Amino acid sequence: MLKRARMIADYQFARGAGEALFPEGTTYSLSKTRRLRYLYWDKERVATVRAKDNLLTLSMIGAERLHRLLKSPRQRVTASDDAAAFIAKGGNLFARHVLAVDPEIRAGEEVLIVDPQDGLLATGTAILSPEEMLQIKRGLAVQVRAAVEH
């Protein structure tokens, strides 16, 4: 099961993400239907496998590991300094506060939200495409799942 989780991470994020997110010693639990569901490091949840599409959602531990592995701008949405404190406390990122975005991400993907200095603020799901995030000045850009101060 750990090999499966690593394969999902490599597919979803980048080659090498599986090893970075789930090193030896990572434990897991299964759903009632005996499918991989949660991955833990030292009893702390690192990631969850979504049942609807078998992709990963990250906790802050997983987001921090991915942030260290991937160089900017990979998998990142950069928020303005005005919104950084709000997002770090668990608030959603709105399009008007997006400064930059990785052009490779797609709506519905797991992304890292960073400040202009590439400090990790939160992780969540991209609601808009990169072009929409930069052009539209209204509405939700990233729905935050976990934040550094939350």
Side-chain angles (χ1 to χ4, degrees), residues 1-10 18 22 28 36 39:
M1 288 293 179
L2 191 54
K3 183 178 178 183
R4 178 177 290 186
R6 287 176 178 160
M7 286 172 36
I8 293 169
D10 286 348
F22 314 121
Y28 59 87
L36 181 62
L39 294 125

Side-chain angles (χ1 to χ4, degrees), residues 19-32:
E19 283 288 330
L21 286 171
F22 314 121
E24 289 302 319
T26 300
T27 58
Y28 59 87
S29 65
L30 303 176
S31 67
K32 292 178 184 176

Side-chain angles (χ1 to χ4, degrees), residues 101-120:
V101 60
D102 176 4
E104 300 295 316
I105 64 170
R106 294 180 297 270
E109 281 189 339
E110 190 77 4
V111 296
L112 306 173
I113 303 172
V114 296
D115 61 22
Q117 295 76 37
D118 198 40
L120 183 62

